[in-house]
Amino acid sequence: MCLGVPGKVVKILEEGLGIVDFGGITREVDLSLIPDIKPGDYVIVHAGAAIERVDRKYVEDALKYWSEMLEYVLVKHQTYSLK
């Protein structure tokens, strides 16, 4: 199973690279697979490469679902609560 993580492009660097923000954590990412990428675009990143451009609503929904799943697992196992 592969996991793609949504993020927001904040800066374009040289040679097809850029900085992507993943909810406050920034990483250098290979943006060369997405034509005409620009700061402010949202992308799905897998293994250090942006593999798809997505809209903001997709990212908000995905992060909401991840948060709900994490909360369920943590509460079910009584280890921690996000609230």
Side-chain angles (χ1 to χ4, degrees):
M1 182 173 129
C2 298
L3 175 64
V5 180
K8 182 178 182 179
V9 177
V10 294
K11 185 176 182 181
I12 304 295
L13 305 174
E14 297 177 11
E15 312 227 358
L17 299 174
I19 303 297
V20 175
D21 182 340
F22 300 96
I25 298 171
T26 58
R27 294 287 183 260
E28 189 173 288
V29 171
D30 180 352
L31 301 174
S32 65
L33 298 175
I34 313 250
D36 303 321
I37 196 81
K38 61 189 180 306
D41 286 347
Y42 291 88
V43 293
I44 298 295
V45 177
H46 171 68
I51 58 172
E52 183 178 1
R53 184 182 332 221
V54 294
D55 63 24
R56 181 179 178 169
K57 174 80 168 114
Y58 177 92
V59 172
E60 289 171 351
D61 289 347
L63 293 176
K64 177 182 168 231
Y65 297 136
W66 276 106
S67 178
E68 289 172 0
M69 286 187 293
L70 180 59
E71 179 72 18
Y72 173 79
V73 169
L74 294 176
V75 169
K76 182 176 180 177
H77 295 287
Q78 300 175 0
T79 56
Y80 184 77
S81 175
L82 296 175
K83 295 178 182 174

